[in-house]
Amino acid sequence: MTLPVTFVEVVEVRRITPRTARITFAAEELSDTVGTVPDQQLKLCFPRPGQREPLLPARQDDPMDWYRAYLAIPEEQRPLLRSFTLRGRRPGTRLVEIDFVLHGDTGPAAAWALRAAPGDRLGMVGPSALYAPPVPFAETAAAADWVLLAGDETALPALATLVGALPEGVRAYAWIEVADRAERQELASRAELEVVWLYRDGAAPGAVLAEAFPSGVLPAGEPFVWLAGEAGAVRAIRRHLVEREGVPKENIDFTGYWRHRLTQDDAPTAEDLADAQERAAGY
């Protein structure tokens, strides 16, 4: 499987909420499959200080060869990789939209997005099933009695594409934790969708969402559940659903997008590795 690698250039920056920037990029190359299914994962490559654009290895037929070439770049020149979900593609164009959560000047992605302007260039690797094999979401959801999607603001781009893919007649619930009321976004769906917004208002990330489950009233019947966001909160919610609510493990698609007080550059914890092994084993 060839790993798609290209440069992308900023053409527009919009603040869709006080803490979220939606940035439109023009891609030099883009597969026809990009933007055709929900929850497409990709990685953005950020330049090091002093670089106009990141230093990217040439595309390789073997994805591991590309990654080895990436690691061979001297560390001070090697671009920083961060994971994102494609928010959308403008039909008939090579324009893609990616949402950035602006949580301050503490990480390379947020710091870059705070200053992003037309003409700025990044590298884009993917979208590719190598990062997240696509779940046949609409079909799986339609077969369940009801669907629950839960996450924080980092999960909103993926969650929005998923509820947009739900067919008519599906009963769906979305529980979303955000910093405050100003961070709400409109979600379009053909399904019978009920959205519950949960506000941190200063609480620890993930805490409000995790606490909502024991006190929440879940419908009867067999669900399909999609969880994403802060890894500790996702882990706690999944444990509650399996152990207290009796939801089969195979009915839960879960991903820890980020870790409180840790970055993607930090080594995975034992719990991170256990989650990865369980996902690889099909839950």
Side-chain angles (χ1 to χ4, degrees):
M1 180 184 293
T2 301
L3 185 64
V5 179
T6 190
F7 284 100
V8 294
E9 184 171 309
V10 176
V11 297
E12 184 182 41
V13 180
R14 290 187 294 137
R15 286 285 184 97
I16 59 171
T17 73
R19 297 180 181 86
T20 304
R22 179 164 297 162
I23 300 183
T24 303
F25 296 91
E28 289 186 354
E29 299 180 45
L30 204 63
S31 165
D32 290 341
T33 61
V34 173
T36 59
V37 295
D39 196 12
Q40 289 190 311
Q41 306 296 304
L42 57 90
K43 292 186 184 295
L44 292 179
C45 307
F46 294 85
R48 293 286 187 168
Q51 296 177 334
R52 180 180 178 271
E53 63 183 31
L55 182 61
L56 292 183
R59 181 182 301 168
Q60 309 278 347
D61 289 336
D62 184 342
M64 288 309 300
D65 287 343
W66 185 90
Y67 190 61
R68 280 189 285 268
Y70 164 79
L71 292 177
I73 299 172
E75 185 175 358
E76 66 275 9
Q77 301 177 41
R78 189 187 308 147
L80 294 167
L81 295 180
R82 290 295 183 267
S83 300
F84 288 85
T85 302
L86 182 73
R87 183 60 182 84
R89 176 181 184 171
R90 296 189 185 177
T93 74
R94 286 183 281 107
L95 298 177
V96 295
E97 295 176 333
I98 299 173
D99 288 355
F100 290 73
V101 178
L102 305 176
H103 49 71
D105 205 359
T106 56
W112 180 88
L114 282 169
R115 302 170 179 82
D120 291 347
R121 287 168 63 82
L122 299 179
M124 187 172 79
V125 184
S128 173
L130 288 168
Y131 300 139
V135 174
F137 182 74
E139 296 87 343
T140 305
D145 294 316
W146 52 277
V147 177
L148 173 63
L149 304 99
D152 58 24
E153 53 266 75
T154 66
L156 258 174
L159 189 151
T161 67
L162 289 167
V163 299
L166 288 172
E168 293 181 4
V170 171
R171 185 166 47 132
Y173 305 86
W175 293 4
I176 308 167
E177 178 190 292
V178 291
D180 53 41
R181 189 176 184 85
E183 295 304 304
R184 292 168 56 133
Q185 299 180 25
E186 291 295 324
L187 299 176
S189 180
R190 294 169 295 167
E192 299 171 12
L193 177 65
E194 178 182 313
V195 182
V196 176
W197 294 95
L198 304 165
Y199 309 122
R200 278 193 301 278
D201 290 328
V208 177
L209 182 62
E211 291 170 359
F213 278 81
S215 60
V217 178
L218 299 180
E222 186 164 318
F224 175 73
V225 181
W226 182 89
L227 303 173
E230 199 282 319
V234 168
R235 196 174 292 122
I237 293 167
R238 179 171 176 266
R239 186 179 300 120
H240 171 80
L241 290 173
V242 172
E243 296 177 359
R244 301 292 182 87
E245 303 291 344
V247 178
K249 287 185 177 182
E250 59 271 19
N251 288 24
I252 304 175
D253 183 23
F254 68 102
T255 308
Y257 280 165
W258 64 286
R259 300 172 296 168
H260 190 40
R261 305 188 189 282
L262 295 173
T263 74
Q264 290 187 28
D265 300 319
D266 294 312
T269 65
E271 290 180 316
D272 294 332
L273 293 173
D275 286 349
Q277 289 173 351
E278 193 160 0
R279 282 178 57 82
Y283 317 130

